[in-house]
Coordinates of all heavy atoms in Angstrom, one line a residue:
K1297 N -15.0 2.4 2.0 CA -13.8 2.1 2.6 C -12.7 2.0 1.6 O -12.9 1.6 0.5 CB -13.8 0.9 3.5 CG -14.5 0.9 4.9 CD -14.5 -0.3 5.6 CE -15.0 -0.2 7.0 NZ -16.4 0.3 7.1
V1298 N -11.5 2.2 2.1 CA -10.3 2.2 1.1 C -9.3 1.3 1.7 O -8.8 1.5 2.9 CB -9.6 3.6 0.9 CG1 -8.4 3.5 0.1 CG2 -10.8 4.5 0.2
Y1299 N -8.9 0.3 1.0 CA -7.7 -0.6 1.3 C -6.6 -0.4 0.4 O -6.7 0.0 -0.7 CB -8.2 -2.0 1.2 CG -9.5 -2.4 2.0 CD1 -10.8 -2.2 1.6 CD2 -9.4 -3.0 3.3 CE1 -11.9 -2.3 2.3 CE2 -10.5 -3.3 4.1 CZ -11.7 -2.9 3.5 OH -12.9 -3.2 4.3
T1300 N -5.4 -0.7 1.1 CA -4.2 -0.6 0.3 C -3.2 -1.8 0.7 O -3.3 -2.3 1.8 CB -3.6 0.8 0.4 OG1 -2.4 0.8 -0.4 CG2 -3.0 0.9 1.8
M1301 N -2.4 -2.1 -0.2 CA -1.1 -3.0 0.0 C -0.2 -2.7 -1.1 O -0.4 -2.1 -2.1 CB -1.6 -4.5 0.0 CG -2.0 -5.1 -1.2 SD -2.3 -6.9 -1.1 CE -0.7 -7.6 -0.7
V1302 N 0.9 -3.2 -0.9 CA 2.1 -3.2 -1.8 C 2.3 -4.5 -2.6 O 2.4 -5.5 -1.9 CB 3.4 -2.7 -1.2 CG1 4.6 -2.8 -2.3 CG2 3.2 -1.5 -0.4
D1303 N 2.4 -4.5 -3.8 CA 2.8 -5.6 -4.6 C 4.4 -5.7 -4.5 O 5.0 -5.1 -5.3 CB 2.3 -5.5 -6.1 CG 2.6 -6.7 -6.9 OD1 3.4 -7.7 -6.3 OD2 2.1 -7.0 -7.9
Q1304 N 4.7 -6.7 -3.7 CA 6.2 -6.8 -3.4 C 6.9 -7.4 -4.6 O 8.2 -7.5 -4.5 CB 6.4 -7.4 -2.0 CG 5.9 -6.6 -0.9 CD 6.3 -7.2 0.5 OE1 6.3 -8.4 0.7 NE2 6.4 -6.3 1.4
E1305 N 6.2 -8.1 -5.5 CA 6.8 -8.7 -6.6 C 7.3 -7.7 -7.6 O 8.3 -7.9 -8.3 CB 5.8 -9.6 -7.4 CG 5.2 -10.8 -6.6 CD 6.4 -11.8 -6.3 OE1 7.1 -12.0 -7.1 OE2 6.3 -12.4 -5.1
T1306 N 6.7 -6.5 -7.5 CA 7.1 -5.5 -8.5 C 7.8 -4.2 -7.9 O 8.3 -3.4 -8.5 CB 5.9 -4.9 -9.4 OG1 4.8 -4.4 -8.4 CG2 5.3 -6.0 -10.2
C1307 N 7.7 -4.2 -6.6 CA 8.4 -3.1 -5.8 C 9.9 -3.1 -6.1 O 10.5 -4.2 -5.9 CB 8.0 -3.1 -4.3 SG 9.1 -2.0 -3.2
I1308 N 10.5 -2.0 -6.3 CA 12.0 -1.9 -6.6 C 12.7 -1.1 -5.5 O 13.8 -0.7 -5.6 CB 12.3 -1.2 -8.0 CG1 11.7 0.1 -8.1 CG2 11.8 -2.4 -9.1 CD1 12.2 0.8 -9.3
S1309 N 12.0 -1.0 -4.4 CA 12.5 -0.3 -3.2 C 13.0 1.1 -3.5 O 14.1 1.5 -3.0 CB 13.8 -1.1 -2.6 OG 13.4 -2.5 -2.4
C1310 N 12.3 1.8 -4.3 CA 12.7 3.1 -4.7 C 12.5 4.1 -3.5 O 13.3 5.1 -3.5 CB 11.9 3.7 -5.9 SG 10.4 4.4 -5.5
G1311 N 11.6 3.8 -2.6 CA 11.6 4.6 -1.4 C 10.7 5.9 -1.4 O 10.6 6.5 -0.5
A1312 N 9.9 6.1 -2.6 CA 9.1 7.2 -2.7 C 8.0 7.1 -1.8 O 7.5 8.0 -1.2 CB 8.7 7.4 -4.1
C1313 N 7.4 5.9 -1.7 CA 6.0 5.7 -0.9 C 6.2 6.1 0.6 O 5.3 6.8 1.1 CB 5.5 4.4 -1.0 SG 6.6 3.0 -0.8
G1314 N 7.3 5.7 1.1 CA 7.5 6.0 2.6 C 7.7 7.4 2.9 O 7.4 8.0 3.9
A1315 N 8.2 8.1 1.8 CA 8.3 9.6 2.0 C 7.0 10.3 1.8 O 6.8 11.2 2.5 CB 9.3 10.0 0.8
S1316 N 6.1 9.9 0.9 CA 4.9 10.5 0.7 C 3.9 10.2 1.7 O 2.9 10.8 2.2 CB 4.3 10.5 -0.7 OG 5.0 9.5 -1.4
A1317 N 4.0 8.9 2.3 CA 2.9 8.3 3.1 C 3.6 7.5 4.2 O 3.4 6.4 4.4 CB 2.0 7.5 2.4
P1318 N 4.3 8.2 5.1 CA 5.1 7.6 6.2 C 4.3 6.9 7.2 O 4.7 5.9 7.9 CB 5.9 8.7 6.9 CG 5.2 10.0 6.5 CD 4.6 9.7 5.2
D1319 N 2.9 7.2 7.3 CA 2.0 6.5 8.3 C 1.3 5.3 7.5 O 0.7 4.5 8.3 CB 0.9 7.5 8.6 CG 1.4 8.6 9.5 OD1 2.4 8.4 10.2 OD2 0.9 9.7 9.4
L1320 N 1.7 5.2 6.3 CA 1.1 4.0 5.6 C 2.0 3.0 5.2 O 1.9 1.7 5.3 CB 0.3 4.4 4.3 CG -1.1 5.2 4.5 CD1 -1.4 5.7 3.1 CD2 -2.1 4.4 5.2
F1321 N 3.2 3.4 4.8 CA 4.3 2.5 4.3 C 5.6 2.5 5.0 O 6.1 3.6 5.3 CB 4.4 2.7 2.8 CG 3.2 2.6 1.9 CD1 2.6 3.7 1.5 CD2 2.5 1.4 1.8 CE1 1.3 3.6 0.9 CE2 1.3 1.3 1.2 CZ 0.7 2.4 0.6
D1322 N 6.2 1.4 5.2 CA 7.6 1.3 5.7 C 8.2 0.1 4.8 O 7.6 -0.5 4.0 CB 7.4 0.8 7.1 CG 8.7 1.2 7.9 OD1 9.7 1.7 7.4 OD2 8.8 1.1 9.2
Y1323 N 9.4 -0.1 5.2 CA 10.2 -1.1 4.5 C 10.7 -2.2 5.3 O 11.1 -2.1 6.5 CB 11.5 -0.4 3.8 CG 11.1 0.9 3.1 CD1 11.2 2.1 3.6 CD2 10.4 0.7 1.9 CE1 10.6 3.2 3.0 CE2 10.1 1.9 1.3 CZ 10.1 3.1 1.8 OH 9.6 4.2 1.1
N1324 N 10.7 -3.5 4.7 CA 11.2 -4.6 5.5 C 12.6 -4.8 5.3 O 13.4 -4.0 4.8 CB 10.4 -5.9 5.0 CG 10.8 -6.2 3.5 OD1 11.7 -5.9 3.0 ND2 9.8 -7.2 2.9
D1325 N 13.2 -5.9 5.9 CA 14.7 -6.1 5.9 C 15.2 -6.1 4.5 O 16.3 -5.8 4.3 CB 15.0 -7.4 6.6 CG 14.7 -7.3 8.1 OD1 14.5 -6.2 8.5 OD2 14.7 -8.4 8.8
E1326 N 14.4 -6.5 3.5 CA 15.0 -6.4 2.2 C 14.7 -5.2 1.4 O 15.0 -5.1 0.3 CB 14.3 -7.6 1.3 CG 14.4 -8.9 1.9 CD 13.6 -10.1 1.2 OE1 12.5 -9.8 0.8 OE2 14.1 -11.2 1.1
G1327 N 14.2 -4.2 2.1 CA 14.0 -2.9 1.6 C 12.6 -2.8 0.7 O 12.5 -1.8 0.2
L1328 N 11.9 -3.9 0.8 CA 10.6 -3.8 0.1 C 9.5 -3.1 1.0 O 9.5 -3.3 2.2 CB 10.2 -5.3 -0.2 CG 11.1 -6.0 -1.2 CD1 10.5 -7.5 -1.2 CD2 11.1 -5.4 -2.6
S1329 N 8.7 -2.4 0.3 CA 7.7 -1.5 1.0 C 6.6 -2.6 1.4 O 6.2 -3.6 0.7 CB 7.2 -0.6 0.1 OG 6.1 0.0 0.7
Y1330 N 5.9 -2.2 2.6 CA 4.7 -2.9 3.0 C 3.7 -1.9 3.7 O 4.2 -0.9 4.2 CB 5.0 -4.1 4.0 CG 5.6 -3.6 5.3 CD1 4.8 -3.5 6.4 CD2 7.0 -3.5 5.5 CE1 5.3 -3.1 7.7 CE2 7.6 -3.0 6.7 CZ 6.7 -2.8 7.8 OH 7.1 -2.4 9.0
F1331 N 2.5 -2.2 3.7 CA 1.5 -1.5 4.4 C 1.5 -1.7 5.7 O 1.4 -2.8 6.3 CB 0.0 -1.9 3.7 CG -1.0 -1.3 4.6 CD1 -1.2 0.0 4.9 CD2 -2.0 -2.1 4.9 CE1 -2.2 0.6 5.6 CE2 -3.2 -1.7 5.7 CZ -3.2 -0.4 6.1
I1332 N 1.7 -0.6 6.6 CA 1.9 -0.8 7.9 C 0.7 -1.4 8.7 O 0.9 -2.0 9.7 CB 2.4 0.6 8.5 CG1 3.7 1.1 8.1 CG2 2.4 0.5 10.1 CD1 4.0 2.5 8.4
G1333 N -0.4 -0.9 8.3 CA -1.7 -1.3 8.9 C -1.8 -2.7 9.4 O -2.3 -3.0 10.5
D1334 N -1.6 -3.5 8.5 CA -1.7 -5.0 8.8 C -0.6 -5.9 8.3 O -0.9 -7.0 7.7 CB -3.2 -5.5 8.6 CG -3.5 -5.3 7.1 OD1 -2.5 -5.1 6.3 OD2 -4.7 -5.6 6.8
N1335 N 0.7 -5.3 8.3 CA 1.7 -6.2 7.7 C 1.5 -6.6 6.2 O 1.8 -7.7 5.8 CB 2.0 -7.3 8.5 CG 3.4 -7.8 8.5 OD1 4.2 -7.1 7.9 ND2 3.7 -9.2 8.6
N1336 N 0.9 -5.6 5.4 CA 0.7 -5.8 4.0 C -0.4 -6.9 3.6 O -0.2 -7.4 2.5 CB 2.0 -6.2 3.3 CG 2.0 -5.5 1.9 OD1 1.6 -4.4 1.7 ND2 2.6 -6.3 0.9
E1337 N -1.3 -7.2 4.4 CA -2.4 -8.0 4.1 C -3.5 -7.3 3.3 O -4.2 -8.0 2.5 CB -2.9 -8.7 5.4 CG -2.1 -9.8 6.0 CD -1.8 -11.0 5.1 OE1 -2.8 -11.5 4.5 OE2 -0.7 -11.2 4.9
G1338 N -3.5 -6.1 3.6 CA -4.6 -5.3 2.8 C -5.9 -5.4 3.3 O -6.9 -5.3 2.5
N1339 N -6.1 -5.9 4.6 CA -7.5 -6.1 5.0 C -8.0 -5.1 6.0 O -9.2 -5.3 6.5 CB -7.6 -7.6 5.6 CG -7.1 -8.7 4.7 OD1 -7.5 -8.5 3.5 ND2 -6.6 -9.7 5.3
T1340 N -7.1 -4.2 6.3 CA -7.6 -3.1 7.3 C -7.7 -1.8 6.6 O -6.8 -1.3 6.0 CB -6.4 -2.9 8.3 OG1 -6.1 -4.2 8.8 CG2 -6.8 -1.9 9.4
P1341 N -9.0 -1.1 6.5 CA -9.2 0.1 5.9 C -8.3 1.1 6.4 O -8.1 1.1 7.6 CB -10.5 0.4 6.2 CG -11.2 -0.7 7.0 CD -10.2 -1.6 7.3
I1342 N -7.8 2.0 5.7 CA -7.0 3.1 6.1 C -7.8 4.2 6.7 O -9.0 4.4 6.4 CB -6.1 3.7 4.9 CG1 -6.9 4.5 3.9 CG2 -5.3 2.6 4.3 CD1 -6.0 5.3 3.0
D1343 N -7.2 5.0 7.5 CA -7.8 6.2 8.1 C -8.1 7.2 6.9 O -7.1 7.4 6.0 CB -6.9 6.9 9.1 CG -6.8 6.1 10.4 OD1 -7.7 5.3 10.6 OD2 -6.0 6.3 11.2
E1344 N -9.3 7.9 6.9 CA -9.5 8.8 5.9 C -8.6 9.9 5.7 O -8.4 10.4 4.6 CB -11.0 9.3 6.1 CG -12.1 8.4 5.3 CD -13.4 8.9 5.4 OE1 -13.6 10.2 5.4 OE2 -14.4 8.0 5.7
E1345 N -8.1 10.3 6.9 CA -7.2 11.5 6.9 C -5.8 11.1 6.1 O -5.1 12.1 5.8 CB -6.8 11.9 8.3 CG -6.1 10.9 9.1 CD -6.3 11.1 10.6 OE1 -7.5 11.6 11.0 OE2 -5.5 10.7 11.3
L1346 N -5.6 9.8 5.8 CA -4.5 9.5 5.2 C -4.7 9.2 3.6 O -3.7 8.8 2.8 CB -3.8 8.2 5.7 CG -3.4 8.3 7.3 CD1 -2.8 7.0 7.7 CD2 -2.3 9.4 7.2
L1347 N -5.9 9.5 3.2 CA -6.3 9.1 1.7 C -5.4 10.0 0.8 O -5.0 9.4 -0.2 CB -7.7 9.6 1.5 CG -8.7 8.4 1.3 CD1 -10.1 9.0 1.2 CD2 -8.3 7.5 0.2
E1348 N -5.1 11.2 1.2 CA -4.3 12.1 0.2 C -2.9 11.6 0.2 O -2.3 11.6 -0.9 CB -4.3 13.5 0.8 CG -4.6 14.7 -0.2 CD -4.7 16.0 0.4 OE1 -5.9 16.3 0.8 OE2 -3.8 16.8 0.2
D1349 N -2.4 11.2 1.3 CA -1.1 10.6 1.4 C -0.9 9.4 0.4 O 0.0 9.2 -0.3 CB -0.6 10.1 2.7 CG -0.2 11.4 3.6 OD1 -0.3 12.5 3.1 OD2 0.2 11.2 4.7
L1350 N -2.1 8.6 0.6 CA -2.1 7.3 -0.3 C -2.1 7.7 -1.8 O -1.4 7.1 -2.6 CB -3.3 6.5 0.0 CG -3.6 5.3 -0.8 CD1 -2.4 4.3 -0.7 CD2 -4.9 4.5 -0.5
E1351 N -2.8 8.7 -2.1 CA -2.8 9.1 -3.6 C -1.5 9.5 -4.1 O -1.1 9.3 -5.2 CB -4.0 10.2 -3.8 CG -5.5 9.8 -3.7 CD -5.8 8.6 -4.6 OE1 -5.2 8.4 -5.6 OE2 -6.7 8.0 -4.3
D1352 N -0.8 10.2 -3.2 CA 0.5 10.8 -3.5 C 1.4 9.6 -3.6 O 2.2 9.6 -4.6 CB 1.0 11.7 -2.4 CG 0.3 13.1 -2.4 OD1 -0.4 13.4 -3.4 OD2 0.6 13.8 -1.4
A1353 N 1.3 8.6 -2.9 CA 2.2 7.4 -2.9 C 1.9 6.7 -4.2 O 2.8 6.2 -5.0 CB 1.9 6.6 -1.8
I1354 N 0.7 6.5 -4.6 CA 0.3 5.8 -5.8 C 0.8 6.5 -7.0 O 1.4 5.9 -7.9 CB -1.3 5.8 -6.0 CG1 -1.7 4.7 -4.8 CG2 -1.7 5.3 -7.3 CD1 -3.4 4.7 -4.8
D1355 N 0.6 7.9 -7.0 CA 1.2 8.7 -8.1 C 2.7 8.7 -8.2 O 3.2 8.6 -9.3 CB 0.7 10.2 -8.0 CG -0.7 10.3 -8.1 OD1 -1.4 9.4 -8.7 OD2 -1.4 11.3 -7.9
G1356 N 3.5 8.4 -7.0 CA 4.8 8.5 -7.0 C 5.6 7.3 -7.3 O 6.7 7.3 -7.6
C1357 N 4.8 6.2 -7.3 CA 5.5 4.7 -7.5 C 5.8 4.6 -8.8 O 4.8 4.5 -9.7 CB 4.6 3.7 -6.8 SG 5.5 2.2 -7.0
P1358 N 7.1 4.4 -9.2 CA 7.5 4.2 -10.5 C 7.1 2.9 -11.1 O 7.0 2.8 -12.4 CB 9.0 4.3 -10.5 CG 9.4 3.9 -9.2 CD 8.2 4.3 -8.2
T1359 N 6.8 2.0 -10.3 CA 6.3 0.6 -10.8 C 4.8 0.3 -10.6 O 4.3 -1.0 -10.7 CB 7.2 -0.5 -10.2 OG1 7.0 -0.4 -8.8 CG2 8.7 -0.3 -10.5
D1360 N 4.1 1.3 -10.2 CA 2.6 1.0 -9.8 C 2.4 -0.1 -8.8 O 1.5 -0.9 -9.1 CB 1.9 0.7 -11.2 CG 1.7 2.0 -12.0 OD1 1.8 3.1 -11.5 OD2 1.6 1.9 -13.3
S1361 N 3.2 -0.2 -7.8 CA 3.2 -1.2 -7.0 C 2.2 -0.9 -5.8 O 1.9 -1.9 -5.1 CB 4.6 -1.6 -6.3 OG 5.5 -1.9 -7.4
I1362 N 1.8 0.2 -5.6 CA 0.8 0.6 -4.6 C -0.6 0.3 -5.0 O -0.9 1.1 -6.0 CB 0.9 2.1 -4.1 CG1 2.5 2.5 -3.9 CG2 0.1 2.4 -2.9 CD1 3.0 2.1 -2.6
K1363 N -1.2 -0.6 -4.4 CA -2.5 -1.1 -4.8 C -3.6 -0.4 -3.9 O -3.4 -0.2 -2.8 CB -2.7 -2.5 -4.8 CG -1.6 -3.2 -5.8 CD -1.7 -2.7 -7.1 CE -0.6 -3.4 -7.9 NZ -0.6 -2.9 -9.3
K1364 N -4.8 -0.1 -4.6 CA -5.8 0.5 -3.8 C -7.2 -0.1 -4.2 O -7.4 -0.4 -5.4 CB -5.9 2.1 -4.1 CG -7.0 2.9 -3.5 CD -7.1 4.2 -4.0 CE -8.5 4.9 -4.0 NZ -8.5 6.2 -4.7
S1365 N -8.0 -0.4 -3.2 CA -9.2 -1.1 -3.5 C -10.4 -0.6 -2.5 O -10.1 -0.3 -1.3 CB -9.1 -2.5 -3.5 OG -10.2 -3.3 -3.8
S1366 N -11.5 -0.9 -2.9 CA -12.6 -0.6 -2.1 C -13.1 -1.9 -1.4 O -13.9 -1.9 -0.5 CB -13.8 -0.2 -2.8 OG -14.2 -1.1 -3.9
E1367 N -12.3 -3.0 -1.7 CA -12.6 -4.2 -0.8 C -11.3 -4.7 -0.3 O -10.2 -4.4 -0.9 CB -13.2 -5.3 -1.8 CG -14.6 -4.9 -2.3 CD -15.1 -5.8 -3.3 OE1 -14.8 -7.0 -3.2 OE2 -15.9 -5.4 -4.2
A1368 N -11.3 -5.5 0.8 CA -10.1 -6.1 1.3 C -9.3 -6.9 0.3 O -9.8 -7.6 -0.7 CB -10.5 -7.1 2.5
F1369 N -8.0 -6.9 0.3 CA -7.1 -7.7 -0.5 C -6.9 -9.1 -0.2 O -6.6 -9.9 -1.1 CB -5.8 -6.9 -0.6 CG -5.8 -5.8 -1.4 CD1 -5.9 -4.5 -0.9 CD2 -5.6 -5.7 -2.8 CE1 -5.9 -3.4 -1.7 CE2 -5.5 -4.7 -3.6 CZ -5.7 -3.5 -3.0
H1370 N -7.0 -9.4 1.0 CA -6.6 -10.7 1.6 C -5.2 -11.2 1.0 O -5.0 -12.4 0.7 CB -7.7 -11.7 1.1 CG -9.1 -11.5 1.5 ND1 -9.6 -11.5 2.8 CD2 -10.2 -11.0 0.8 CE1 -10.8 -11.1 2.9 NE2 -11.1 -10.8 1.7
G1371 N -4.3 -10.2 1.1 CA -3.0 -10.6 0.9 C -2.6 -10.7 -0.6 O -1.4 -11.0 -0.8
D1372 N -3.5 -10.5 -1.5 CA -3.2 -10.7 -2.9 C -3.5 -9.4 -3.5 O -4.5 -8.9 -3.8 CB -4.1 -11.8 -3.5 CG -3.8 -12.1 -4.9 OD1 -2.9 -11.3 -5.5 OD2 -4.3 -13.0 -5.5
P1373 N -2.4 -8.8 -4.2 CA -2.4 -7.5 -4.8 C -3.3 -7.6 -6.0 O -3.7 -6.5 -6.6 CB -1.0 -7.1 -5.0 CG -0.2 -8.3 -5.0 CD -0.9 -9.2 -3.9
A1374 N -3.5 -8.8 -6.5 CA -4.5 -8.8 -7.8 C -5.9 -8.5 -7.4 O -6.7 -8.4 -8.2 CB -4.2 -10.2 -8.4
N1375 N -6.2 -8.6 -6.1 CA -7.6 -8.4 -5.7 C -8.0 -6.8 -5.7 O -8.4 -6.3 -4.7 CB -7.9 -8.9 -4.4 CG -7.9 -10.4 -4.3 OD1 -8.2 -11.1 -5.4 ND2 -7.6 -11.1 -3.3
E1376 N -7.6 -6.2 -6.7 CA -7.9 -4.7 -6.8 C -9.3 -4.5 -7.5 O -9.4 -4.9 -8.5 CB -6.7 -4.1 -7.6 CG -6.5 -2.7 -7.4 CD -5.3 -2.1 -8.2 OE1 -4.9 -2.8 -9.1 OE2 -4.7 -1.1 -7.8
H1377 N -10.2 -3.9 -6.6 CA -11.5 -3.6 -7.1 C -11.8 -2.1 -7.2 O -11.3 -1.3 -6.3 CB -12.5 -4.3 -6.4 CG -12.3 -5.8 -6.4 ND1 -12.8 -6.5 -7.4 CD2 -11.8 -6.7 -5.4 CE1 -12.6 -7.8 -7.0 NE2 -12.1 -7.9 -5.9
Ligands
F3S90 FE1 8.4 0.2 -3.9 FE2 7.0 1.8 -5.2 FE3 7.3 2.2 -2.8 S1 8.7 0.8 -6.0 S2 9.4 1.4 -2.4 S3 6.1 0.5 -3.7 S4 7.3 3.8 -4.3

């Protein structure tokens, strides 16, 4: 399984992730990106058909704020495995 979430401490609201992966990422009132699947907790595996979009978003983020893991994040972007 593949999990993702955004590190909102480093996101600079550049907007690239929502463009490459509109089904995965949206922006909150402050313009910070979050994982749509579970309000950025990173505990819900993504649909496999969105894997390519996720890779594009990871590659396109200038601050490496899009995290990806084979285990649930439990809301902490440091839980990257
Ligand atoms: Fe933020 Fe990176 Fe997206 S800076 S808006 S997480 S592309």
Side-chain angles (χ1 to χ4, degrees):
K1297 288 188 168 53
V1298 176
Y1299 299 85
T1300 186
M1301 72 176 291
V1302 177
D1303 186 344
Q1304 295 184 328
E1305 298 293 324
T1306 57
C1307 171
I1308 55 169
S1309 308
C1310 88
C1313 53
S1316 13
D1319 295 323
L1320 291 173
F1321 303 106
D1322 201 357
Y1323 308 99
N1324 68 16
D1325 290 345
E1326 296 173 330
L1328 297 173
S1329 174
Y1330 66 93
F1331 168 51
I1332 294 169
D1334 58 11
N1335 201 21
N1336 212 45
E1337 288 297 309
N1339 298 331
T1340 306
I1342 69 164
D1343 288 343
E1344 268 180 41
E1345 64 205 27
L1346 296 177
L1347 255 179
E1348 227 172 281
D1349 282 3
L1350 176 61
E1351 294 299 340
D1352 287 348
I1354 290 171
D1355 290 346
C1357 179
T1359 58
D1360 289 333
S1361 298
I1362 312 276
K1363 304 302 180 186
K1364 173 186 157 190
S1365 180
S1366 57
E1367 294 171 34
F1369 281 95
H1370 303 292
D1372 185 351
N1375 288 334
E1376 204 172 16
H1377 296 287

